[in-house]
Structures are given as C-alpha cells and as structure tokens.
C-alpha cells in the first residue's frame, strides 16, 4: 500500500481529531469545544503561517498519520533555524507500514528545500514507541521539555513576585501590586487562588 503525503486541508479535521485524541484531551480545559473544531483551527493557522505545516499521510484514501512541522530557532543563541517536528501520530492499526517514515521524509524534504540544517523532535515523554522510532532515525536526546499551567508554577513560587515582574509587565505596564498582595493574603489564609 503506497503512502501519499500532503498538507492537511480543512476536510482532514475529523481524522486529525482522532489521531490527536489523547493530546486534545490533555489540552482541553473547559470541556466544551469539539476536537474537530480545535483541529480545524490548527489546520487554518498552519496554512496561514509560511513557517508551519501540518502534514498528513494518506493510505487507501484514509488519513493514517500526521505531523506538525515548524521552522524556527531552537534558542535565542542559535542563529540558524531548525525544523521542529511534533505531534507525530500514526493510526495504531497502521503501524509498521512506513507511514511514520513517510512523514519524517516530508519533514526532511521541507528542511532541505528551506535550507534548514537541523531537526528537533518533541515526542511525548511516555511515548516509548515514538522515542524509539526517532532514535532509530538518528535523533538523539538533547533536552527535556517540561510543561505546566501558569497557575501551577505560580503556586510553587514565593508568594511575592520577583521585583522585575512587579516593575514591568507586558508592554511595559505596571503589574497590579494590589492583585499580587491579595493573592498572597489568600494563600496565607488557605483560600483557593485563581
């Protein structure tokens, strides 16, 4: 069965929602929005961004895999951009059929066309199969990507924000000292802080 690779289109939203179901569940906070609406918006954003693509693999007319590609720097110290490869998913019924390789091949081809010399990938921390697959293709572990909500991290920091954060917020405006003081008081009393 030959695998065809192409850019995602609006009609692929439902298939992407199924492939990314676990990730979509992890990112939904309100439980209201439908997964295919989220993926449709992701497809539209990627289509509007010349440095991003969502690529799908199609086997027998069915979307059987996908990957999100983005060209960007890896750090503020790196002058050369790299190809960021994330959200690589293959239909569990179609593993070991060359779908993952076809998607990575599309990433490499776009990197070559764009003059990008490096590739970084962000597989799920517990996705042993994806990590092994990428290792077999020569991608070594170079960093650990960690994530949390702002609220979760704030709860672990000292109650008073650092001086730099109090002095200037986004766009140079003062961060609300009153809000910070109220949050601090609520924490001391054991109230839930939002």
């Amino acid at each position: 069965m030959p695998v065809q690779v192409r850019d995602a289109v609006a009609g692929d939203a439902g298939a992407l929602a199924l492939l990314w179901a676990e990730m979509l569940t992890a990112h939904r906070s309100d439980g209201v929005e439908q997964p295919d609406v989220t993926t449709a918006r992701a497809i539209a954003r990627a289509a509007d961004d010349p440095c991003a693509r969502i690529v799908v693999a199609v086997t027998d007319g069915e979307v059987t895999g996908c990957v999100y590609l983005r060209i960007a720097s890896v750090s503020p110290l790196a002058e050369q951009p790299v190809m960021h490869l994330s959200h690589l998913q293959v239909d569990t019924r179609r593993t070991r059929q060359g779908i993952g390789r076809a998607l990575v091949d599309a990433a490499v081809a776009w990197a070559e066309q764009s003059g990008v010399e490096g590739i970084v990938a962000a597989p799920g921390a517990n996705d042993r199969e994806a990590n092994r697959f990428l290792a077999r293709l020569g991608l070594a572990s170079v960093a650990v990507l960690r994530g949390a909500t702002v609220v979760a991290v704030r709860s672990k920091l000292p109650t008073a924000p650092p001086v730099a954060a109090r002095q200037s917020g986004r766009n140079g405006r003062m961060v609300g000292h009153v809000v910070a003081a109220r949050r601090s008081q609520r924490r001391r009393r054991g109230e839930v802080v939002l």
Side-chain angles (χ1 to χ4, degrees):
M1 290 178 277
V3 178
Q4 298 175 335
V5 178
R6 62 169 171 76
D7 286 316
V9 295
D12 297 327
L16 289 178
L18 291 174
L19 288 169
W20 285 338
E22 189 174 315
M23 289 178 254
L24 285 165
T25 302
H27 286 87
R28 286 175 64 187
S29 59
D30 57 11
V32 174
E33 187 170 280
Q34 296 299 315
D36 54 339
V37 173
T38 302
T39 55
R41 282 204 317 262
I43 292 167
R45 279 193 310 272
D48 289 341
D49 185 347
C51 293
R53 293 173 69 188
I54 295 176
V55 176
V56 297
V58 179
T59 311
D60 295 330
E62 177 186 357
V63 173
T64 53
C66 59
V67 66
Y68 175 63
L69 306 175
R70 184 172 48 94
I71 298 173
S73 67
V74 73
S75 84
L77 304 175
E79 293 184 29
Q80 294 296 326
V82 296
M83 177 67 62
H84 292 255
L85 187 147
S86 67
H87 296 75
L88 175 63
Q89 285 298 128
V90 174
D91 185 333
T92 55
R93 299 167 297 161
R94 301 291 194 126
T95 59
R96 305 202 186 287
Q97 295 180 12
I99 295 166
R101 284 186 181 273
L103 291 166
V104 173
D105 184 55
V108 170
W110 191 37
E112 291 169 338
Q113 292 169 3
S114 303
V116 173
E117 296 179 8
I119 295 177
V120 295
N126 296 322
D127 192 345
R128 189 186 316 186
E129 195 63 35
N131 279 290
R132 286 179 177 170
F133 168 71
L134 293 168
R136 284 193 303 271
L137 293 177
L139 280 83
S141 180
V142 294
V144 175
L145 184 66
R146 295 186 178 270
T149 64
V150 172
V151 172
V153 175
R154 171 57 63 206
S155 72
K156 302 293 183 185
L157 292 172
T159 56
V163 173
R166 289 192 308 256
Q167 289 177 348
S168 64
R170 207 164 196 203
N171 301 325
R173 286 183 258 142
M174 294 294 291
V175 175
H177 295 290
V178 174
V179 172
R182 286 182 182 161
R183 284 183 180 156
S184 178
Q185 290 171 351
R186 287 181 185 149
R187 279 192 197 98
R188 284 189 207 119
R189 290 191 306 247
E191 294 177 21
V192 176
V193 179
L194 299 177

